[in-house]
Amino acid sequence: MFNLVLFGPPGAGKGTQSIKIAGKYKLGHISTGDIFRSEIKNKTPLGLKVTSIIEKGELVPDELLIDLLKNAMHKFEEINGFAFDGFPRTIKQAKDLDILMAEEGSGVTLTLALEVDDDELARRLLNRAQLEGRKDDTAEVIANRLKVYHQQTKPLIDFYDKQGKFKSANGTGSIDEIFAELCKIVESYID
Ligand code: ADP
């Protein structure tokens, strides 16, 4: 199995690139952000629980992630692995993912980060706010999401780097240029 974690701050382009990578290498694409948005839209009990957290730009509590992930993973058939998008976001989630993957006799193969500076991220997210109207894309909430990323998610770089599983790529340029660079790195991990 080839299990990829797409890593980076909000607005880095993880969603766009992980869908392309999942398509090319036949990986199951799992976006925890998309899952939460769908739960909110459908007003499920989980959706109602997480609405205000997400609208503030805070992270959903770790314990709500693992069952959600298990369910999402079991929905795929005939894949070569997974492309995780927006997960893990904390060290606790990364450890839970390792346990989950070990149960399947597998593990995280590679964590691939998209690098974009904070000013460009804020610009992209405000632009997306106008196009998609996501409630967490206001200037104030964006600033909080970036802060949360720096405080709670960035420590994962060290966690995966120590295991020789971390690589980063430039997240600016055209979608296809970035995709080509990511594919090169992915292929260096496929034997
Ligand atoms: P972005 O990468 O643009 O911030 P996502 O779509 O990945 O957006 O996530 C949107 C929101 O959903 C996050 O700000 C957070 O509140 C919640 N969320 C998504 N994934 C996780 C996760 N793994 N752990 C905790 N909260 C999450």
Side-chain angles (χ1 to χ4, degrees):
M1 295 247 292
F2 182 85
N3 298 309
L4 178 70
V5 172
L6 248 290
F7 186 88
K14 300 183 298 283
T16 307
Q17 296 295 339
S18 58
I19 289 168
K20 286 172 78 76
I21 292 177
K24 178 161 175 164
Y25 300 103
K26 290 203 169 59
L27 306 176
H29 175 237
I30 297 183
S31 158
T32 45
D34 284 351
I35 295 172
F36 287 132
R37 278 184 288 279
S38 143
E39 299 277 329
I40 289 172
K41 199 168 145 232
N42 295 320
K43 298 197 164 63
T44 66
L46 175 65
L48 295 174
K49 211 185 253 181
V50 301
T51 302
S52 71
I53 299 173
I54 290 182
E55 285 181 358
K56 282 187 266 188
E58 300 292 332
L59 293 184
V60 170
D62 290 331
E63 59 272 19
L64 293 181
L65 268 292
I66 205 73
D67 285 339
L68 185 123
L69 202 73
K70 268 191 210 164
N71 285 338
M73 286 168 70
H74 285 123
K75 286 192 182 138
F76 294 100
E77 278 168 35
E78 300 197 21
I79 48 171
N80 299 321
F82 294 97
F84 296 104
D85 163 8
F87 181 91
R89 254 174 157 97
T90 62
I91 298 278
K92 172 79 169 73
Q93 291 179 15
K95 290 183 174 164
D96 286 345
L97 180 62
D98 280 346
I99 294 169
L100 199 66
M101 294 257 112
E103 284 167 8
E104 314 272 331
S106 191
V108 170
T109 316
L110 170 66
T111 300
L112 200 44
L114 285 168
E115 285 184 346
V116 179
D117 67 52
D118 278 7
D119 286 347
E120 168 70 12
L121 293 172
R123 256 197 302 278
R124 288 186 190 179
L125 292 168
L126 286 171
N127 189 36
R128 183 170 78 187
Q130 284 174 338
L131 297 172
E132 297 177 14
R134 256 174 66 166
K135 283 215 174 125
D136 58 349
D137 280 346
T138 62
E140 194 190 339
V141 177
I142 287 169
N144 194 37
R145 281 158 62 206
L146 289 172
K147 192 176 105 198
V148 166
Y149 167 76
H150 287 295
Q151 287 176 347
Q152 301 189 51
T153 306
K154 254 190 153 177
L156 286 173
I157 295 178
D158 205 40
F159 179 86
Y160 286 117
D161 198 31
K162 280 191 182 134
Q163 303 174 49
K165 291 179 179 172
F166 186 83
K167 281 271 182 288
S168 63
N170 183 355
T172 53
S174 74
I175 288 175
D176 287 339
E177 277 162 2
I178 298 165
F179 181 55
E181 191 183 342
L182 297 182
C183 289
K184 240 193 249 165
I185 302 174
V186 166
E187 278 160 35
S188 73
Y189 274 77
I190 296 177
D191 31 51

